[in-house]
Amino acid sequence: MQYSDFNFSKLTDGLLPVIVQDAVTLKVLMLGYMNREAYEKTVETGKVTFFSRTRGQLWTKGETSGHFLNVVEMYNDCDNDALLIKANPIGPTCHRGTTSCFDTPEDEGFIRRLGEVIGKRHQEMPEGSYTTRLFIKGVKAIAKKVGEETSETIIEAVDGNKSRFVYEASDLIYHLLVLCEQMGVGISDLEKELRLRH
């Protein structure tokens, strides 16, 4: 989409509101504004660039902190008067040092982030990593761990021990994510299947 395709009659001062979302966790990170130059620089460099209304100039997020927002995908809204950017953040987005400029829970979307970390472990296979050891042992060993953690989760559920259930269910989800990675399946694949059943 070109900047000229946006509906300028709805834009305040010709500035396009831009919502930035973490491409992995889907957590909303920040809101900013773009003029044509900021939009075109974002497209050209792959790094989110805004027009600073207070300074009256372009501002590439991370140019001083190193906490860039690397563009993954861009979507205009149905009225062509706002933009959604899915990005991979390098470090915290907010100047306060938080993941997001919005005060949503820090652990929001963490399962997706964990899935990404597991994927990197599978690619890099760092020594000393428990996840690496699981991948070395292979699919049978990983599947066995999923079975063990499933049994332990069931036991805690039947016993009504909520804190132990959370602990064991977390182990189950971690090992299931490792098994999914081993099988070449991502969270988005599971979401698609569940959406089809809905």
Side-chain angles (χ1 to χ4, degrees):
M1 179 165 197
Q2 301 296 317
Y3 189 78
S4 57
D5 294 331
F6 289 102
N7 188 344
F8 289 97
S9 66
K10 290 188 172 185
L11 302 182
T12 304
D13 298 326
L15 295 177
L16 182 68
V18 180
I19 298 165
V20 182
Q21 182 182 36
D22 188 307
V24 175
T25 67
L26 306 183
K27 186 180 184 77
V28 174
L29 301 177
M30 69 175 296
L31 168 70
Y33 295 87
M34 288 182 179
N35 61 5
R36 179 187 296 273
E37 193 178 356
Y39 178 85
E40 290 175 351
K41 186 173 181 183
T42 297
V43 171
E44 178 187 336
T45 65
K47 296 190 183 309
V48 178
T49 299
F50 297 106
F51 178 79
S52 171
R53 294 171 297 166
T54 53
R55 295 188 302 238
Q57 63 186 37
L58 292 189
W59 162 59
T60 299
K61 178 72 180 81
E63 62 191 0
T64 54
S65 66
H67 299 155
F68 294 101
L69 294 168
N70 295 321
V71 176
V72 176
E73 298 170 316
M74 296 171 63
Y75 300 93
N76 56 307
D77 79 336
C78 59
D79 293 323
N80 291 329
D81 61 356
L83 181 67
L84 171 67
I85 296 179
K86 290 189 175 184
N88 285 327
I90 307 301
T93 298
C94 186
H95 70 280
R96 301 172 299 174
T98 55
T99 302
S100 170
C101 294
F102 298 95
D103 291 327
T104 54
E106 282 295 310
D107 54 3
E108 185 177 62
F110 182 76
I111 290 176
R112 283 177 170 271
R113 182 66 68 201
L114 178 60
E116 183 184 48
V117 170
I118 289 168
K120 286 182 180 176
R121 293 284 193 277
H122 196 197
Q123 289 175 348
E124 298 166 3
M125 299 292 276
E127 287 186 33
S129 163
Y130 173 69
T131 307
T132 297
R133 291 199 299 274
L134 286 172
F135 285 128
I136 289 170
K137 289 179 181 177
V139 68
K140 287 184 180 179
I142 299 168
K144 183 179 176 186
K145 282 299 295 179
V146 170
E148 290 171 6
E149 300 302 341
T150 300
S151 297
E152 291 170 5
T153 302
I154 291 168
I155 289 167
E156 299 303 340
V158 171
D159 286 350
N161 189 332
K162 185 175 179 180
S163 63
R164 288 297 305 167
F165 172 80
V166 169
Y167 183 88
E168 297 299 347
S170 297
D171 276 351
L172 172 58
I173 288 173
Y174 161 75
H175 287 92
L176 183 59
L177 288 173
V178 173
L179 184 59
C180 284
E181 170 65 23
Q182 179 71 30
M183 296 299 296
V185 173
I187 290 175
S188 61
D189 296 310
L190 303 179
E191 288 174 333
K192 286 175 188 173
E193 176 61 26
L194 291 168
R195 191 179 300 117
L196 287 173
R197 299 180 189 186
H198 182 64

